């Protein structure tokens, strides 16, 4: 399956979706001009991945900032992963947040409340 | 001669304007079209200024959040304008001020009068809500709005109140029979962090 690699910019996150290497990650900042267009390839990739997923799916969110428009799209991604989990696959979300960023930590808690999928909060320093 | 007097008058106005900015501790002011490029430019400018001033990380993040949501509120709703005041579409004024205790982010843009009631109701109900109610509302709006770009009305306002913990101050001033100028100001404390 095709690998997606998008370099991060000042307003868009870095994205790696590599099924072969078991590497699924969104990191950095997210405030794209057109959120739907930006995240469309990610959602399409997840649809395709869901047809033949790996034994275990670990999706890493390591965002330092996202705007409210992005928050809806992040929920879309999480709901795709929730579907995968509902179908009986092994799925884990890892939500990384800077240890001094309570708002980012709370955002993770809120998503964990909304979606029914194993969710792990990971604090990092720096 | 006349021209010379005009220029002098203008330059004197600029000085008054400068003094007035200083008096109100305004660090950034912009009038014009508000686009994604403008949003990026101002947020990064303010960010580097805050870094230079060794502002606390929490304060920097909150100011960034508020600026983005305020600016995107204007740029995103630029297409909603259908009245004759097309010149106002997507345009507005944006300013940041700072004193010892807080940052203020203020925006002003034209809105059609028939949106005043809806905006007032939304802002009032957000202002009345406590932390927990805002959190529940945010979650609900995010779920409901996730299928449409403009859905989840007020997500930006809810986010600003949640991030700043302060009421959203706003004011409407009449422009014409159809339109009003909508001013919104949010403050971010530099001390309560």
């Amino acid at each position: 399956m095709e690998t997606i690699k998008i370099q991060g910019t000042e307003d868009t996150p870095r994205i790696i979706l590599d099924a072969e290497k078991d590497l699924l990650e969104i990191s950095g900042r997210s405030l794209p001009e057109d959120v739907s267009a930006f995240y469309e390839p990610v959602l399409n990739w997840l649809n395709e991945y869901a047809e033949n997923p790996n034994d275990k799916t670990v999706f890493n969110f390591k965002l330092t900032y996202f705007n409210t428009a992005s928050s809806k799209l992040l929920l879309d991604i999480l709901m795709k992963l929730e579907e995968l989990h509902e179908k009986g696959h092994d799925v884990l979300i890892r939500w990384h947040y800077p240890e001094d960023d309570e708002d980012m930590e709370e955002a993770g808690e809120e998503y964990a409340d909304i979606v029914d999928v194993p969710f792990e909060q990971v604090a990092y320093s720096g | 001669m006349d021209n010379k007097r005009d220029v002098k008058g203008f330059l004197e106005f600029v000085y008054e304007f400068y003094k007035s900015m200083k008096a109100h501790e305004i660090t950034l002011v912009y009038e014009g079209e508000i686009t994604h490029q403008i949003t990026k430019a101002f947020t990064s400018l303010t960010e580097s200024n805050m870094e230079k001033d060794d502002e606390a990380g929490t304060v920097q993040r909150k100011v960034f959040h508020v600026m983005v949501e305020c600016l995107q509120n204007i740029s995103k709703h630029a297409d909603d304008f259908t009245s004759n005041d097309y010149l106002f579409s997507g345009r507005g004024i944006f300013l940041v001020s700072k004193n010892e205790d807080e940052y203020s982010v203020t925006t002003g843009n034209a809105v059609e009068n028939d949106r005043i009631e809806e905006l007032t109701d939304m802002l009032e109900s957000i202002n009345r809500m406590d932390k927990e109610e805002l959190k529940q509302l945010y979650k609900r709006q995010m779920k409901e709005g996730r299928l449409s770009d403009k859905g989840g009305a007020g997500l930006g306002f809810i986010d600003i109140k949640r991030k700043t913990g302060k009421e959203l101050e706003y004011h409407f001033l009449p422009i014409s029979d159809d339109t009003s100028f909508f001013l919104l100001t949010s403050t971010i404390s530099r001390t309560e962090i």
Side-chain angles (χ1 to χ4, degrees), chain A:
Chain A
M1 157 166 209
E2 209 187 318
T3 297
I4 291 189
K5 241 186 189 162
I6 303 171
Q7 284 300 318
T9 68
E10 56 178 345
D11 60 339
T12 56
R14 175 170 179 261
I15 296 181
I16 299 172
L17 299 171
D18 188 336
E20 238 170 78
K21 289 186 186 150
D22 268 328
L23 211 57
L24 313 179
E25 187 173 296
I26 297 182
S27 60
R29 272 186 175 180
S30 180
L31 59 145
E33 183 164 19
D34 183 343
V35 273
S36 303
F38 181 80
Y39 282 104
E40 199 188 345
V42 177
L43 295 168
N44 291 340
W45 189 94
L46 282 169
N47 282 337
E48 204 188 318
Y49 174 81
E51 286 168 21
N52 187 20
N54 292 347
D55 292 342
K56 186 169 170 66
T57 303
V58 179
F59 202 108
N60 289 287
F61 289 87
K62 200 173 182 179
L63 292 158
T64 51
Y65 168 81
F66 61 89
N67 65 348
T68 56
S70 299
S71 70
K72 294 181 228 165
L73 273 300
L74 295 178
L75 181 60
D76 283 344
I77 293 170
L78 288 164
M79 292 182 99
K80 296 264 179 231
L81 295 161
E82 182 185 39
E83 276 172 35
L84 197 61
H85 172 65
E86 276 168 359
K87 283 186 198 150
H89 297 286
D90 193 355
V91 181
L92 174 67
I93 311 293
R94 302 192 83 201
W95 184 269
H96 305 258
Y97 62 92
E99 60 183 359
D100 66 340
D101 190 346
E102 280 174 31
D103 289 331
M104 193 54 83
E105 182 182 3
E106 199 178 346
E109 284 164 13
E110 283 167 30
Y111 280 127
D113 283 349
I114 299 176
V115 289
D116 185 16
V117 62
F119 207 104
E120 203 176 287
Q121 295 258 41
V122 189
Y124 66 92
S125 61

